[in-house]
Amino acid sequence: MIIVLKPDYTEQQLQHIFDKLEEMGFRHELSKGVQRTLIGVIGEEDQLRNAPLKAIPGVEDVMSILKPYKLASREFRKQDSVFDLGHGVKVGGGNLMMIAGPCSIEGEDILREIGRDVKAAGANVLRGGAFKPRTSPYSYQGMGEEGLKILRKVGDELGMPVVTEVMDPRQVDLVNEYSDIIQIGARNMQNFNLLTEVGHTNRPVLLKRGMSATIQDLLMSAEYVLANGNQQVILCERGIKSFDSSTRNLLDLSAVPNIKGLSHLPVVVDPSHATGRPDLIPSMSLASIAAGADGVHIEVHNCPEKAMSDGPQALLPHQYADLFQQMRTLATLLKREIPAAV
């Protein structure tokens, strides 16, 4: 349910509404828009339907939401959500989150060199994996906490917010300590224990679409994070499984306007994991911005042939710089802004 408050509601009435909802056993989330204030109410459908919510002072109307993702829906929040990522960088509402960096953190010097190159090109978020989910148990698994320390140090030196992946609920506190944005990868999109734990943090969450997940699956996973208190979820389209072996995955660019019609949450695109091919990344990056994406997530390495993971799909720094100029031109044409990290 959504409670629409009267324009002249008082703070005392608002607190009374919260008290009554908690007394009835319902959870609630407040959304203050430009013109109206809404309260999303979460609970058993039958109980909600029979609850006399409209009789509470300060309530103007009560509306039922049919979609199972209440807090992620456009009905709950009409305006696009905008999140502050730190260092002057925002995402959503016309602000583009331009993520770049290596797949894995391999050492301080190499991360610093790549970070300097991508920031000089215009990237405003530095990525790097400290914990790596690999198909083979014999593949490089990441540097763990030492990698997180390196990422934090380099990010601070460059004045860039950093994003890295968490794989296990037991890692959440550690990753939360060192990162500005917590990434949940495609393989963990429906790890509900992890989603719940990340929902208890106050960091923005970059939630990647699972390899076989529908749009509703993705939004329901976002709902887990939102329902546990963390309202800063950024969705990421990174390709889904296909029968075609010519690309790593199938990039579903229709997901961008599709999701934005259903949800207020920002949506970014990862053409690196979607295509797995450097020759396709430039065109798909530009297409992502044209489709309305709130950012582009690209893997960059200064020596892909020596990369510990996903080297074949990484752009070289000069390739990224050339592409970024094209993306900036397109973003300007579409009246979108790429905030500079400071």
Side-chain angles (χ1 to χ4, degrees):
M1 293 283 186
I2 286 181
I3 295 175
V4 182
L5 298 183
K6 292 179 179 179
D8 58 349
Y9 76 91
T10 67
E11 290 299 318
Q12 186 176 10
Q13 289 175 330
L14 179 62
Q15 187 57 53
H16 178 65
I17 294 169
F18 288 161
D19 292 341
K20 293 298 291 184
L21 291 173
E22 291 168 7
E23 181 183 311
M24 296 176 192
F26 301 147
R27 299 170 66 181
H28 54 80
E29 293 291 343
L30 184 67
S31 174
K32 291 189 176 182
V34 176
Q35 297 179 333
R36 305 309 297 265
T37 298
L38 309 178
I39 301 174
V41 186
I42 306 165
E44 291 294 330
E45 295 291 340
D46 290 341
Q47 288 180 278
L48 284 171
R49 196 177 296 113
N50 297 321
L53 301 177
K54 202 169 182 179
I56 304 175
V59 174
E60 180 174 289
D61 198 8
V62 178
M63 301 182 296
S64 175
I65 297 181
L66 298 179
K67 294 183 178 67
Y69 44 91
K70 275 75 170 174
L71 303 177
S73 71
R74 277 283 178 193
E75 287 83 356
F76 179 62
R77 180 170 293 150
K78 294 294 184 184
Q79 297 87 8
D80 289 344
S81 286
V82 180
F83 305 138
D84 188 340
L85 307 176
H87 294 283
V89 181
K90 294 182 179 180
V91 61
N95 300 285
L96 301 186
M97 173 187 189
M98 307 301 275
I99 307 171
C103 176
S104 300
I105 300 165
E106 301 165 1
E108 184 176 328
D109 291 341
I110 190 170
L111 182 63
R112 182 180 293 108
E113 184 177 342
I114 296 170
R116 285 172 177 166
D117 287 339
V118 297
K119 183 178 183 182
N124 53 23
V125 177
L126 178 64
R127 64 147 288 139
F131 298 100
K132 298 302 301 178
R134 307 302 300 278
T135 303
S136 170
Y138 309 114
S139 299
Y140 179 64
Q141 305 291 315
M143 295 180 68
E145 184 173 4
E146 183 60 30
L148 292 175
K149 291 178 180 179
I150 291 172
L151 182 64
R152 179 73 275 157
K153 181 178 180 181
V154 173
D156 288 343
E157 288 179 7
L158 297 175
M160 298 178 74
V162 297
V163 58
T164 193
E165 183 170 353
V166 63
M167 294 170 49
D168 189 291
R170 295 167 295 182
Q171 299 170 347
V172 171
D173 287 342
L174 182 64
V175 173
N176 186 52
E177 180 182 350
Y178 291 102
S179 68
D180 297 297
I181 306 150
I182 299 174
Q183 176 182 308
I184 295 181
R187 293 172 177 83
N188 274 311
M189 190 205 79
Q190 290 184 311
N191 182 338
F192 301 120
N193 289 333
L194 179 59
L195 293 170
T196 298
E197 195 66 28
V198 169
H200 295 149
T201 72
N202 59 1
R203 300 284 188 196
V205 177
L206 180 65
L207 178 61
K208 290 198 167 188
R209 183 181 179 184
M211 291 174 278
S212 300
T214 65
I215 299 299
Q216 179 161 307
D217 291 337
L218 176 60
L219 291 171
M220 288 304 297
S221 291
E223 192 77 6
Y224 262 88
V225 180
L226 297 169
N228 280 281
N230 189 335
Q231 302 304 300
Q232 302 181 87
V233 179
I234 305 157
L235 305 174
C236 181
E237 165 59 38
R238 45 81 68 206
I240 52 178
K241 283 295 183 184
S242 164
F243 57 84
D244 191 346
S245 60
S246 64
T247 56
R248 180 171 178 174
N249 293 290
L250 174 67
L251 178 54
D252 179 13
L253 280 181
S254 69
V256 176
N258 190 357
I259 292 171
K260 292 181 85 64
L262 298 170
S263 176
H264 56 88
L265 299 174
V267 186
V268 302
V269 176
D270 176 355
S272 298
H273 283 89
T275 67
R277 289 174 48 181
D279 60 316
L280 300 181
I281 290 173
S283 58
M284 291 302 94
S285 299
L286 294 168
S288 299
I289 294 175
D294 296 292
V296 184
H297 182 297
I298 297 176
E299 290 191 353
V300 179
H301 201 287
N302 54 9
C303 189
E305 64 188 57
K306 293 183 179 179
M308 300 296 291
S309 59
D310 285 348
Q313 69 186 31
L315 294 185
L316 291 164
H318 74 86
Q319 294 174 319
Y320 182 73
D322 291 343
L323 171 58
F324 203 97
Q325 289 306 310
Q326 298 176 56
M327 292 192 291
R328 190 188 296 279
T329 299
L330 180 58
T332 301
L333 181 65
L334 297 173
K335 295 181 171 57
R336 319 283 289 287
E337 183 178 353
I338 302 176
V342 293

